[in-house]
Amino acid sequence: MNTASSIPYAGIWPALLTPLDAKLDIDIPRFASHALRLLDAGCTGVTPFGTTGEGPSFSVAERMDALTGLVARGVPAGRILASTSCAALPDALALTRHAAEQGAWGCLLLPPFFLKGVSDQGVIDAYRWIIDGVADARLRIVLYHIPQVSGVGLSHHVIGTLKTLYPDTIVGLKDSGCRREDSLAYAEAFMPPMQVWVGNEPDLQTLAARGSAGAVSGIANVMPRLVQHLVKGSGEPAADQQRVLALLQILGGYGLTAAFKGMMALLDDAPGWMRVRPPLVPLDAAEYERLAAQLRAFGIDRGRD
């Protein structure tokens, strides 16, 4: 990953929404434009194909083509943290190797998530299979903990063992378990030298006070500057916290990815942003109108947020 050393490991990495065309294929030009706009707004990098980006709904070939397309359209490879998570180890290996070959800054990686109730040793073995298979000293991995979605969590034993085995490869943990006490326990155990990022935006200020210097954030798709303020302690901390809580309360009335895409449709005046790939379902017309009215009252301002 020859360009990665110039990119600091701090800052905001939006968990990119994935725009789709009328056939529900990835709209790569819009994808790249969205990523570049976020970089222009001050984000350190972007994270395609995570949970917010519907990553597991796309094939290995689609994800490789889209990553290549981002780079070809001007998104610097060294500012991409590619989610390479797949249920099948060969697929995760192929995506991780491809990201490394493209020069991506790093990879965000879940444990294999189809089989449940697996042992810590099984999770460790899965990560080792991928890391050893890529066999590239430049590889960086941010471990991804979101057990309420994946059904497979990351214990302290798993994280500590992997960090011991691969001290230069395992650089961080994205904790999207949404339990503040767990996030703080991860920070106490592993930070530094690792970074612990939280996916739950209301916890950003708490983790920042503990030393967390970044975030992979879904809200950063639409409010990147607000998320930066929460992490950096700039802006108006109390007001910023209330603003993110109020937004999450609005979004809680809908499917989260569909609601984020509804926000993008409103902000860009681009109905195509509404599309999601099954099994997700887009907002219907009534839901969109209700969400749009709520967001107008809330006061979304792309230039400010």
Side-chain angles (χ1 to χ4, degrees), residues 10 17 20 33-34 54 68 82 101 161 234 241 243 259-260 266 270:
L17 293 162
L20 305 177
S33 295
H34 180 48
E54 305 170 73
T68 302
E101 291 170 349
T161 300
S234 55
Q241 183 77 351
R243 188 159 173 78
F260 274 136
L266 179 67

Side-chain angles (χ1 to χ4, degrees), residues 73-150:
R73 286 165 175 79
V75 180
R79 299 180 72 173
I80 296 173
L81 173 65
S83 178
T84 56
S85 303
C86 291
L89 280 177
D91 291 344
L93 171 59
L95 286 169
T96 304
R97 180 183 289 124
H98 177 260
E101 291 170 349
Q102 290 293 306
W105 183 88
C107 296
L108 178 67
L109 191 57
L110 284 166
F113 47 82
F114 179 75
L115 297 173
K116 308 303 187 288
V118 296
S119 67
D120 277 1
Q121 189 59 52
V123 174
I124 292 166
D125 290 347
Y127 277 107
R128 295 195 69 182
W129 203 87
I130 294 167
I131 296 168
D132 293 345
V134 174
D136 190 328
R138 298 168 297 174
L139 178 64
R140 292 187 182 98
I141 286 180
V142 176
L143 304 172
Y144 189 9
H145 176 72
I146 184 168
Q148 71 275 27
V149 174
S150 69

Side-chain angles (χ1 to χ4, degrees), residues 8 11 20 34 40 51 101 119 141 160 168-169 172 176 191 201 214 239 262 278 282 286 302:
L20 305 177
H34 180 48
D40 287 344
T51 305
E101 291 170 349
S119 67
I141 286 180
D168 298 324
T169 301
S176 293
M191 194 171 70
E201 286 86 359
R302 186 187 291 281

Side-chain angles (χ1 to χ4, degrees), residues 45-69:
V46 293
T47 303
F49 298 121
T51 305
T52 303
E54 305 170 73
S57 292
F58 301 103
S59 70
V60 170
E62 286 178 304
R63 290 161 72 172
M64 287 182 177
D65 287 347
L67 182 60
T68 302

Side-chain angles (χ1 to χ4, degrees), residues 159-272:
I159 297 166
T161 300
L162 290 171
K163 184 62 176 175
T164 298
L165 290 169
Y166 305 100
D168 298 324
T169 301
I170 306 298
V171 297
L173 169 73
K174 183 193 178 189
D175 175 25
S176 293
C178 300
R179 290 170 51 90
R180 184 176 295 175
E181 62 271 26
D182 291 345
S183 300
L184 288 169
Y186 283 133
E188 182 66 27
F190 302 112
M191 194 171 70
M194 290 174 60
Q195 274 284 300
V196 175
W197 292 342
V198 287
N200 187 38
E201 286 86 359
D203 291 338
L204 289 174
Q205 289 180 328
T206 299
L207 267 291
R210 177 57 183 77
S212 179
V216 175
S217 164
I219 287 178
N221 280 279
V222 290
M223 305 176 77
R225 294 177 180 85
L226 174 64
V227 176
Q228 291 179 65
H229 291 165
L230 291 169
V231 170
K232 295 180 179 179
S234 55
E236 300 178 16
D240 290 339
Q241 183 77 351
Q242 287 305 309
R243 188 159 173 78
V244 79
L245 288 170
L247 178 62
L248 287 171
Q249 185 173 17
I250 292 171
L251 298 179
Y254 310 88
L256 190 59
T257 298
F260 274 136
K261 286 192 161 182
M263 291 180 70
M264 289 299 304
L266 179 67
L267 288 168
D268 284 1
D269 191 24

